[in-house]
Amino acid sequence: MGIMGRISLISHDIDLTHPHYKHLKSIEDIVGRGSDLTKQLLGFAMGGKYEAKPTDINELIEKCSDMFGRTRKETRIHTIFQKDVCAVEIDQSQIEQVLLNLFVNAWHAMPEGGDIFIHTKNVTLDDEDVMHYGIKPGKYVMVSVTDTGVGMDEETQQHIFEPFFTTKKLGRGTGLGLASAYGIIKNHGGIINVNSKKGEGTTFNFHLPIVEAQVVKSQIDDTEEEILYGTETILIVDDEDMVITVSREMLNNMGYDVFIARGGKEALEIFKKDKNKIALVILDMIMPDLGGSQVYDVLKEIKPDIKVLLSSGYSIDGQASKIMSRDCDGFIQKPFNMIQLSKRIRNILDK
Ligand SMILES: Nc1ncnc2c1ncn2[C@@H]1O[C@H](COP(=O)(O)OP(=O)(O)OP(=O)(O)O)[C@@H](O)[C@H]1O
Ligand SMILES: [Mg+2]
């Protein structure tokens, strides 16, 4: 967060023609990869499901495959979508991570290029179907990703979901892609399995339980590359100096007035005094004195319509997920840059 934040601040002050601009972008990229790796590890270790909402899986796949296909022209992606696909309650960034892992693996399995077929289907699983998987019978959406690549023998298939299992050369693969996919799907109450034959391609299927709810359209457009400015007053609550320092400067650069609290107790003191000035609280989840979850409750008691943006590097005990389901305004995962933060803030304050 410290590195990402400072890069964002420097980039804000220089323009594209600056000789160091490309180095900064590249550092940002590398930090992003480090953070992705952490997400992978957390995905398979505990699969923190922090921002689950009813989603149209077809839309998510469309977005994800476009993103993937743009940079890999030798791979053709074909989608065969279920019409009126049922909604699934998912953390979109995690399921995106699962899809990208499957696409990257498929791409690696087809060094000369080839086709990826993605299917979605509404299905009903009965007692017999779910017998060995420890999930409930009922309605699911099935997603399958098929490639025309090298395939796998039986022995390999037995191990692919294990963490650190890889057949790639040292330094090429970490063997966490499928392990994290497995953790994430399992954590969503679903199952993932594989069907493959050496030399004949591979199909991964995963099932996600459906939810009887309206799909929530995402209002945050992550493709926009512009900082959004504002003038309100924001209270940052975090116990780490590094995070406070960069967040404060980012917010000042965006035009906001900033109050700082270095812990839960201090946050409540400041908030009691200045509740009418503060438009938004950016609240860290894990703090030693008083955790984000408790602070959240008291903030809402003091001022029921206060807007809160949760922020966390991870979510060990699903705290964030519980608060989200109680109607919290938003969540941002560290490390974030200025553009991402500015968009989350406007998304909440302009509602
Ligand atoms: N579509 C596929 N076709 C053939 N083999 C595959 C396919 N997907 C996965 N595998 C096999 O499963 C192994 C484990 O995959 P996994 O995604 O977990 O790790 P990885 O791709 O080796 O490394 P990374 O952590 O970078 O994803 C791969 O090394 C490969 O041998
Ligand atoms: Mg992989």
Side-chain angles (χ1 to χ4, degrees):
M1 182 66 231
I3 299 172
M4 184 78 113
R6 279 164 204 279
I7 292 167
S8 229
L9 288 167
I10 303 172
S11 306
H12 183 247
D13 282 343
I14 64 175
D15 63 52
L16 295 156
T17 56
H18 193 284
H20 290 163
Y21 188 83
K22 64 176 194 300
H23 297 308
L24 288 169
K25 278 287 148 211
S26 143
I27 299 171
E28 195 173 26
D29 250 29
I30 295 164
V31 174
R33 267 192 272 153
S35 138
D36 283 346
L37 179 60
T38 316
K39 269 190 233 160
Q40 300 268 44
L41 284 161
L42 290 168
F44 95 83
M46 48 212 158
K49 196 169 83 168
Y50 17 75
E51 219 188 336
K53 52 185 174 217
T55 301
D56 180 332
I57 193 84
N58 290 351
E59 260 175 42
L60 187 77
I61 293 172
E62 189 86 61
K63 181 179 132 207
C64 216
S65 59
D66 280 356
M67 195 163 71
F68 181 83
R70 230 176 289 144
T71 49
R72 296 168 180 89
K73 300 268 184 266
E74 71 285 8
T75 310
R76 282 176 307 272
I77 299 183
H78 314 268
T79 48
I80 304 142
F81 287 143
Q82 166 84 53
K83 256 184 73 186
D84 302 317
V85 70
C86 297
V88 286
E89 191 164 44
I90 57 172
D91 179 315
Q92 298 186 353
S93 71
Q94 292 199 352
I95 298 300
E96 220 175 272
Q97 191 186 318
V98 171
L99 290 165
L100 284 176
N101 274 321
L102 296 180
F103 297 167
V104 171
N105 284 346
W107 176 63
H108 281 152
M110 303 186 293
E112 253 91 76
D115 298 277
I116 298 177
F117 299 90
I118 311 166
H119 254 95
T120 56
K121 203 167 181 230
N122 295 331
V123 298
T124 303
L125 301 181
D126 59 24
D127 288 320
E128 204 175 309
D129 297 324
V130 302
M131 200 156 58
H132 304 292
Y133 296 106
I135 57 167
K136 297 192 196 93
K139 289 186 179 167
Y140 286 78
V141 172
M142 186 196 82
V143 179
S144 74
V145 178
T146 300
D147 66 60
T148 52
V150 295
M152 285 172 266
D153 58 27
E154 275 295 324
E155 172 67 18
T156 307
Q157 287 177 56
Q158 305 258 320
H159 298 290
I160 51 173
F161 293 111
E162 292 166 11
F164 307 113
F165 175 84
T166 179
T167 57
K168 290 168 190 164
K169 274 201 224 80
L170 198 66
R172 288 291 310 275
T174 54
L176 284 175
L178 289 174
S180 74
Y182 182 88
I184 288 167
I185 298 295
K186 190 160 168 244
N187 199 52
H188 280 80
I191 46 175
I192 179 166
N193 48 41
V194 65
N195 224 313
S196 181
K197 232 184 189 161
K198 187 118 193 123
E200 289 179 25
T202 302
T203 298
F204 281 92
N205 289 314
F206 63 88
H207 290 74
L208 292 167
I210 70 148
V211 58
E212 302 285 353
Q214 277 295 344
V215 164
V216 180
K217 294 259 181 243
S218 163
Q219 276 147 16
I220 296 164
D221 178 6
D222 275 326
T223 54
E224 185 81 56
E225 281 294 313
E226 237 172 68
I227 294 169
L228 305 175
Y229 296 83
T231 53
E232 290 90 340
T233 299
I234 296 179
L235 170 63
I236 308 172
V237 189
D238 207 301
D239 60 313
E240 274 191 80
D241 272 337
M242 182 179 73
V243 176
I244 294 217
T245 314
V246 291
S247 307
R248 179 190 354 224
E249 270 199 61
M250 283 187 188
L251 292 172
N252 284 338
N253 271 316
M254 294 173 207
Y256 297 102
D257 282 328
V258 179
F259 284 131
I260 300 286
R262 287 171 206 280
K265 290 202 182 111
E266 198 185 334
L268 294 178
E269 274 162 35
I270 296 176
F271 190 70
K272 273 180 199 145
K273 208 160 84 247
D274 285 309
K275 61 173 179 293
N276 293 325
K277 270 192 226 151
I278 296 167
L280 173 76
V281 180
I282 301 180
L283 181 60
D284 183 31
M285 290 310 304
I286 294 154
M287 293 179 295
D289 69 332
L290 196 61
S293 171
Q294 287 144 297
V295 176
Y296 179 84
D297 288 339
V298 184
L299 288 175
K300 286 276 169 178
E301 246 173 66
I302 301 174
K303 192 179 178 194
D305 61 346
I306 182 65
K307 307 272 206 251
V308 180
L309 174 62
L310 299 180
S311 99
S312 181
Y314 52 95
S315 148
I316 284 183
D317 50 8
Q319 269 194 64
S321 136
K322 280 199 208 102
I323 303 182
M324 286 304 296
S325 67
R326 292 205 316 258
D327 233 22
C328 184
D329 304 288
F331 176 84
I332 188 162
Q333 174 143 25
K334 297 176 202 166
F336 47 78
N337 65 25
M338 217 149 123
I339 295 169
Q340 292 160 337
L341 179 62
S342 80
K343 277 196 265 176
R344 286 301 148 101
I345 293 173
R346 285 330 312 170
N347 188 250
I348 293 174
L349 291 180
D350 297 338
K351 239 181 224 161

